[in-house]
Amino acid sequence: MRRLIAFLPLAVLGAIAVPVIVSPAAATAFAAPAVCLPVVASAPLLASAPIDRALGGGDVVQAGTSADAEEPTMERLIDRAFVATVVGQPAGRPLTGAELETRTHEVGLLLRCPVCQGSSVADSPSSTAINMKNEVRDLLAEGYDQQQILAWFEASYGQFVLMEPKAEGLNMLVWLGPGIVLLAGLVIVAVQLRKSMRSGDPEATEATPAADPEMDEWLREARALAFGADGDRPADPNESHGKV
Amino acid sequence: MNVESPVTHAPQKKVGVNKTVLVVGLILVLPILVLFAMSFGNDPHAVRSPLVGREAPPFDLVSVQDGERVSLASLKGKPVVVNFWATWCEPCKQEHGVLTQGAKIFGDRVQFVGVVYDDQKPKIEAFLERYGSGYPALIDDGGKAAIAYGVTGVPETFFIDANGKVVSKYNGALSPDRLREHVAQLLGVP
């Protein structure tokens, strides 16, 4: 029973920690460096860029804001035409005003900033994230829905750009893993519990170690050497208070 | 002085292998080892881009050198090397010489194009004046082209065949050997 009690906190800790560690959100954070490995070489370059540019400020060319939505540049016309070939014609209705800004932020939260450490496009102040946010805003204003916009970014960057991995293929391990581990933990606890129940009085079994004449003999010798011929243990300080 | 202990050594108990621990350990460790084994030998710069094998995203950008527009469509019929770079990127300076030399050597068979990522025109002009210019440097206004190509940092280079399909992608500064390899692949020569 003591063994069981000692095991329970570990099982509970595992049940809490493992799903957290293996949760899809955490998994993408762990997966990111693997996916991003080649980018590591260029990441410091971005980091070493002037702060004003990193923050999207300065006189860096920034286009694609909603302000110039009325007069699309050649780049944007080409971009829109190509987006349609990749994800099809807009499936939603064109958004404007506050609704456009709200949805831009919401969709931006679902996209990973490729030059940041685990930040979403909506959360990052980097110029890359700002460009991506502008792209999201453009597409929403055109009437593309969330699914189409995510598919457009995924077509260029791969699944790495999605803050949450899709529940398909090997990714299923990330989604089902925590449940499987939790279930396995419960099974182990149940098996241990059953074993203890079957072996009669578990307390008694645990308290009395299995008889081992060879070990007993050695213990007797060691005690005799340490405490005297009778092999008695020295009085416990706590006990001696009571004896006097 | 050597005093022999009157107590014999504790009897050694047989230590058996706990099969459960062994199985659980293997289940946990084996996938990690397999992943490591799969990664060994891979060139970390040769990244699998979702664009490889697909139609290259079109672009129509303004050249810094002459202000003319250069589109990917206008280059169709000739393989294209599209290099995303920036003046604030140190490896880009080193790579610029390799690409300029590459444009001289392969220029009759392959079109080299630079797309300047997140930069300023005066800085680009100063850079080209200092390091030389062997092919068009196009300004990616608003980063549309970079987004369409899934650029995550600079330098990144895409190799596009004469039909407009992306053949390969390279992250990081290209060495002369790497450039030759990719161009050879693009031209279909050994």
Side-chain angles (χ1 to χ4, degrees):
Chain A
M1 196 62 185
R2 236 181 253 166
R3 193 169 40 173
L4 246 182
I5 291 166
F7 177 75
L8 270 175
L10 198 68
V12 172
L13 194 69
I16 295 167
V18 171
V20 169
I21 292 167
V22 195
S23 71
T28 54
F30 286 126
V35 179
C36 286
L37 251 178
V39 178
V40 169
S42 51
L45 306 173
L46 294 169
S48 65
I51 290 172
D52 62 340
R53 202 195 64 256
L55 295 174
D59 54 348
V60 174
V61 183
Q62 293 287 341
T65 55
S66 55
D68 58 353
E70 288 76 27
E71 291 177 30
T73 59
M74 180 65 83
E75 291 83 6
R76 293 176 70 191
L77 284 172
I78 287 174
D79 179 61
R80 286 173 198 182
F82 188 64
V83 171
T85 66
V86 176
V87 297
Q89 292 301 319
R93 61 182 175 83
L95 302 182
T96 54
E99 191 186 6
L100 174 61
E101 291 309 312
T102 308
R103 286 297 291 144
T104 300
H105 183 75
E106 287 170 356
V107 177
L109 285 171
L110 303 174
L111 291 167
R112 180 188 307 284
C113 163
V115 298
C116 317
Q117 296 290 325
S119 298
S120 75
V121 161
D123 294 328
S124 168
S126 75
S127 53
T128 299
I130 290 168
N131 286 340
M132 289 173 77
K133 211 154 37 187
N134 288 336
E135 178 84 345
V136 171
R137 188 185 289 107
D138 273 1
L139 297 175
L140 286 168
E142 285 287 312
Y144 287 97
D145 64 18
Q146 178 178 304
Q147 201 181 343
Q148 287 179 307
I149 294 170
L150 296 182
W152 162 240
F153 279 95
E154 192 189 336
S156 308
Y157 290 93
Q159 262 197 52
F160 153 75
V161 82
L162 305 178
M163 287 298 279
E164 277 193 7
K166 284 181 172 176
E168 60 182 29
L170 266 179
N171 288 353
M172 288 303 284
L173 273 177
V174 174
W175 291 91
L176 300 178
I180 293 169
V181 171
L182 187 63
L183 204 68
L186 288 174
V187 168
I188 292 170
V189 171
V191 167
Q192 289 292 326
L193 201 63
R194 207 169 162 191
K195 269 187 190 171
S196 303
M197 302 278 263
R198 276 187 182 169
S199 62
D201 183 2
E203 287 281 3
T205 320
E206 291 292 326
T208 314
D212 185 342
E214 204 181 349
M215 182 64 83
D216 285 348
E217 178 58 32
W218 182 81
L219 275 172
R220 241 193 317 278
E221 277 182 46
R223 280 177 185 153
L225 187 73
F227 312 122
D230 55 355
D232 279 344
R233 283 184 186 183
D236 185 65
N238 294 327
E239 284 176 12
S240 67
H241 285 299
K243 281 180 181 175
V244 180
Chain B
M1 195 170 77
N2 243 345
V3 179
E4 208 174 308
S5 168
V7 182
T8 54
H9 289 289
Q12 295 294 311
K13 290 196 102 182
K14 271 190 182 177
V15 182
V17 178
N18 187 327
K19 280 183 185 170
T20 312
V21 172
L22 186 70
V23 170
V24 171
L26 282 176
I27 288 171
L28 290 175
V29 172
L30 269 182
I32 298 168
L33 289 178
V34 169
L35 281 176
F36 271 124
M38 284 167 68
S39 302
F40 282 135
N42 286 354
D43 179 359
H45 294 286
V47 188
R48 266 189 303 166
S49 164
L51 291 178
V52 172
R54 284 180 32 208
E55 183 194 347
F59 57 77
D60 187 329
L61 304 169
V62 176
S63 165
V64 177
Q65 289 100 326
D66 55 15
E68 293 291 315
R69 299 196 78 90
V70 177
S71 68
L72 184 63
S74 70
L75 304 173
K76 216 161 186 180
K78 195 174 181 184
V80 184
V81 175
V82 180
N83 172 247
F84 285 85
W85 66 282
T87 61
W88 42 266
C89 148
E90 284 301 320
C92 295
K93 289 175 187 167
Q94 171 200 338
E95 189 192 46
H96 187 76
V98 174
L99 289 169
T100 305
Q101 194 65 21
K104 274 185 194 165
I105 296 167
F106 304 110
D108 56 331
R109 287 167 288 168
V110 179
Q111 176 64 52
F112 282 69
V113 172
V115 178
V116 195
Y117 174 80
D118 194 16
D119 219 321
Q120 303 162 37
K121 197 179 173 191
K123 288 186 178 175
I124 302 165
E125 286 169 337
F127 182 97
L128 294 175
E129 202 177 321
R130 183 173 177 189
Y131 295 101
S133 163
Y135 49 90
L138 314 176
I139 298 185
D140 184 17
D141 195 7
K144 292 278 184 199
I147 289 173
Y149 277 83
V151 172
T152 54
V154 282
E156 281 188 18
T157 309
F158 293 82
F159 297 85
I160 301 164
D161 70 13
N163 298 317
K165 275 196 175 174
V166 179
V167 173
S168 59
K169 177 193 178 183
Y170 192 83
N171 277 15
L174 279 159
S175 64
D177 285 344
R178 291 284 184 217
L179 178 63
R180 202 178 300 118
E181 277 171 26
H182 281 269
V183 170
Q185 187 188 1
L186 198 57
L187 295 171
V189 293

